Amino acid sequence: MSKTKETSIVLPERIERRIYLVRGKKVLLSPDLAQLYEVEAKALNQAVTRNRDRFPDDFMFRLTPEEDKSLRSQIVTLKRGGHSKYPPYAFTEQGVAMLSNVLRSKRAVQVNIEIMRAFVRLREMLASDMDLSERIEELELRYDGKFQVVFDMIEKLIGQPTKSQKKIGFQIIS
């Protein structure tokens, strides 16, 4: 077992499952952060409100009702009573770093370290996926000419209707 997992206060997988892509940014939602930091969501939101000048729009933003509804439909494990009157805040990586400074607890600092590691792992995975994607494109370009004959033959076969095709379904007569 790696040293990181032995000393981590929160399992990395628990954090990674809570990172969403919203408005093209990887974010963590305020209710999830409150749970990870083991504070009430209300207390987290109050700390943010008191220190609003520390959270510019590229650090944190409030979800629109449509975004909130869309994410709720993706998160099937929503607890009863978990609905808030206001959509949650979404914190970018920089916003999460600032949030640990605002909360000022030992746990917030430790959880923040794990969250930063999760963001780094996600960036590394995306970079390796991009590398794989580029390799596949190179292979496609290199071998497209050789397989063009096969593609042409498949198109011919698809384009020719067979003699015994029967119509299926209902016909509406007006």
Side-chain angles (χ1 to χ4, degrees):
M1 189 177 269
S2 74
K3 224 177 195 181
T4 305
K5 284 194 177 185
E6 287 174 10
T7 59
S8 70
I9 193 165
V10 179
L11 291 174
E13 298 82 26
R14 189 172 166 209
I15 296 168
E16 290 167 7
R17 282 192 310 253
R18 295 170 184 217
I19 297 175
Y20 300 100
L21 191 64
V22 178
R23 301 181 195 173
K25 298 178 181 183
K26 291 182 289 298
V27 298
L28 280 158
L29 302 179
S30 52
D32 293 333
L33 286 165
Q35 232 177 15
L36 292 169
Y37 291 136
E38 293 182 349
V39 298
E40 291 288 325
K42 185 176 182 176
L44 185 139
N45 290 336
Q46 285 174 345
V48 169
T49 303
R50 282 190 209 113
N51 295 281
R52 187 65 179 104
D53 58 325
R54 293 180 180 226
F55 296 97
D57 292 341
D58 58 330
F59 281 30
M60 178 203 74
F61 53 89
R62 191 177 288 280
L63 296 181
T64 65
E66 294 80 23
E67 290 168 334
D68 186 31
K69 186 177 179 182
S70 174
L71 282 175
R72 283 182 195 268
S73 68
Q74 294 174 33
I75 308 167
V76 284
T77 57
L78 187 66
K79 293 178 185 170
R80 185 179 297 188
H83 297 283
S84 174
K85 159 165 129 168
Y86 302 106
Y89 287 115
F91 292 87
T92 64
E93 185 174 353
Q94 295 87 357
V96 170
M98 187 61 69
L99 189 58
S100 71
N101 291 330
V102 168
L103 293 176
R104 296 182 186 194
S105 73
K106 187 174 181 176
R107 178 168 178 87
V109 171
Q110 292 171 330
V111 169
N112 186 55
I113 290 168
E114 295 305 319
I115 291 172
M116 294 303 118
R117 288 178 176 153
F119 274 111
V120 168
R121 277 190 302 279
L122 283 176
R123 271 197 298 278
E124 289 170 352
M125 288 188 321
L126 286 173
S128 69
D129 285 351
M130 292 294 284
D131 184 45
L132 182 60
S133 177
E134 288 172 7
R135 288 173 143 176
I136 289 171
E137 283 181 33
E138 285 175 22
L139 288 172
E140 286 175 347
L141 290 172
R142 191 179 318 159
Y143 294 108
D144 264 358
K146 294 178 182 175
F147 288 105
Q148 192 60 45
V149 175
V150 175
F151 295 139
D152 291 343
M153 187 58 79
I154 290 171
E155 280 183 32
K156 271 186 179 179
L157 291 172
I158 290 172
Q160 296 174 353
T162 60
K163 294 178 184 178
S164 63
Q165 283 183 337
K166 295 181 180 178
K167 289 187 177 180
I168 300 174
F170 297 98
Q171 185 176 8
I172 299 174
I173 302 172
S174 46

